[in-house]
Amino acid sequence: NQLGLVSVGFSGGQRKPGVEVAPDFLVKAGLLDDLREALGYTLHYDNTIHTYAEDLPKEDPPQLNMRNPLSVSAATKKISSQVYSHAKEGRLTLTLGGDHSIAIGSISGAARAIRERLNRSLNVIWVDAHADINTPETSTSGSIHGMPCAFLTGIANPDPIFSWLKDLMHEGSAIEAKRLVYIGLRDVDIPEKKILRDNNIKAFSMHDIDRWGIGHCVELALEHLAGLDRPDIKGVKGYIYEGLGPTYLSFDVDALDPMWAPSTGTPVRGGLTLREGDFICECVHATGALVGMDLVEVNPIAPGYTADSPGAEATIRAGCSLIRCALGESLL
Ligand code: DIR
Ligand code: MN
Ligand code: MN
Ligand code: MN
């Protein structure tokens, strides 16, 4: 049970200060002791919350409708190699954000290691209120945390800002669009809806979850991914999805309803309960196919909150709970 932890204190993928302090608060809430003592992981951690300050340019004006493009590129390039170093040793990786732009790094690094070690393609389960699949052209905010899925799938051209990403790509993408599955969507921009349709990307919105229940939606999501590698096997035996390949879980805390996770940059009402979020994480853990996880967008000082406010504390506690569930807390 080897776990590689990367703490990322970076907020340049969006406009609200505060997500960069989240790893500090998650750690202070006792997360590391839980991982080591309750869950029995051997932790590989440099005890550093990386800001990549020495890599960031002094001036970073918007380019090609992206805010802080050079900073996000420099930080994610480093994150990618940090996650890769852990994953190439066969460790499960946990990346604590920071905003969701950091997934450009964590997922590209994990995908590279999985391809080199196992010669397999990485599956990604993206749990979020948002699809984060704008291209620089379709984005109305210019915030790169709304674009990671476009860069990872090759739907957005990494050149010239993320040109380093091309070295990690295989046949035009870091991850294949068919291996990306969303859960929890409810605030998807109009051009993003077209991107999802045009690329036939699997998504379970809050509407689907209301209609079919979280249990069935998670089952369908896992069946879809498992079927990509073993189309001959249909159905589920317990939680063993035969043939399910290495799978990455990228969890944006704003997937949860603001009742459970209010202290985040872009809260959207009508989200998952904490229990539904924990359930998704438990199911992914139970497959045995989880190779890495992000927990992003916890912002203890989001507008209207202070770090010691009940809303911020609830959000931090929710983040810790999601991580523990993905790493096996609920096993009996
Ligand atoms: C919006 C909001 N779709 C954008 N995105 C996110 O800025 O592109 N908010 N990710 O958390
Ligand atoms: Mn989001
Ligand atoms: Mn939005
Ligand atoms: Mn997100």
Side-chain angles (χ1 to χ4, degrees):
N1 280 18
Q2 310 287 314
L3 180 68
L5 173 61
V6 180
S7 281
V8 179
F10 182 77
S11 59
Q14 48 83 65
R15 295 161 82 168
K16 292 173 187 161
V19 260
E20 71 283 354
V21 303
D24 191 30
F25 283 89
L26 293 164
V27 168
K28 278 193 193 130
L31 179 63
L32 304 191
D33 290 337
D34 290 345
L35 298 179
R36 277 191 283 246
E37 283 149 39
L39 298 171
Y41 286 94
T42 302
L43 207 55
H44 300 263
Y45 181 45
D46 56 10
N47 280 303
T48 307
I49 295 168
H50 295 273
T51 62
Y52 311 99
E54 63 284 6
D55 301 297
L56 304 186
K58 284 188 190 64
E59 299 275 316
D60 193 5
Q63 288 187 53
L64 305 167
N65 192 35
M66 285 179 270
R67 293 176 179 275
N68 312 316
L70 304 179
S71 304
V72 177
S73 178
T76 51
K77 182 180 178 182
K78 280 278 168 78
I79 295 162
S80 185
S81 75
Q82 289 175 291
V83 169
Y84 171 76
S85 311
H86 287 301
K88 79 170 193 308
E89 303 297 328
R91 298 172 191 155
L92 184 62
T93 65
L94 173 63
T95 304
L96 301 178
D99 70 69
H100 221 159
S101 70
I102 70 167
I104 297 172
S106 59
I107 292 180
S108 63
R112 175 183 171 203
I114 293 299
R115 182 169 307 286
E116 288 180 5
R117 233 163 36 82
L118 307 173
N119 192 29
R120 298 194 70 167
S121 299
L122 186 65
N123 300 317
V124 175
I125 300 175
W126 195 278
V127 186
D128 205 318
H130 312 91
D132 296 354
I133 199 162
N134 273 304
T135 66
E137 293 74 30
T138 65
S139 172
T140 52
S141 67
S143 294
I144 299 176
H145 80 153
M147 310 178 192
C149 292
F151 285 114
L152 287 165
T153 54
I155 288 168
N157 183 355
D159 270 329
I161 300 296
F162 292 96
S163 57
W164 59 267
L165 190 56
K166 286 189 300 180
D167 298 334
L168 283 67
M169 287 182 158
H170 176 77
E171 292 170 3
S173 69
I175 59 161
E176 297 170 275
K178 67 180 182 188
R179 292 184 186 275
L180 171 61
V181 179
Y182 290 103
I183 302 176
L185 301 183
R186 58 193 181 278
D187 181 11
V188 180
D189 299 338
I190 290 165
E192 291 184 297
K193 290 182 182 173
K194 179 167 163 50
I195 291 171
L196 296 182
R197 277 197 308 272
D198 290 351
N199 293 279
N200 214 353
I201 294 173
K202 199 79 163 170
F204 298 92
S205 66
M206 287 311 302
H207 178 91
D208 297 314
I209 292 165
D210 291 339
R211 181 157 193 190
W212 301 107
I214 191 67
H216 192 52
C217 288
V218 173
E219 195 169 296
L220 290 172
L222 293 170
E223 266 182 355
H224 164 77
L225 295 174
L228 296 172
D229 296 308
R230 292 294 301 273
D232 53 314
I233 295 174
K234 280 270 175 294
V236 187
K237 302 187 187 97
Y239 280 109
I240 307 305
Y241 295 78
E242 301 270 0
L244 179 66
T247 298
Y248 198 97
L249 177 63
S250 196
F251 206 117
D252 183 330
V253 83
D254 73 27
L256 301 183
D257 191 88
M259 181 168 290
W260 304 100
S263 199
T264 185
T266 50
V268 188
R269 294 187 296 173
L272 300 169
T273 64
L274 176 57
R275 182 58 216 142
E276 288 171 325
D278 281 347
F279 175 81
I280 295 166
C281 295
E282 289 165 358
C283 290
V284 175
H285 175 84
T287 65
L290 182 66
V291 298
M293 176 182 190
D294 306 314
L295 191 279
V296 298
E297 302 282 1
V298 169
N299 186 339
I301 54 167
Y305 298 91
T306 57
D308 60 356
S309 61
E313 284 180 356
T315 309
I316 293 157
R317 260 187 289 122
C320 290
S321 180
L322 295 167
I323 293 166
R324 291 194 312 268
C325 287
L327 297 187
E329 157 162 88
S330 312
L331 287 188
L332 296 179

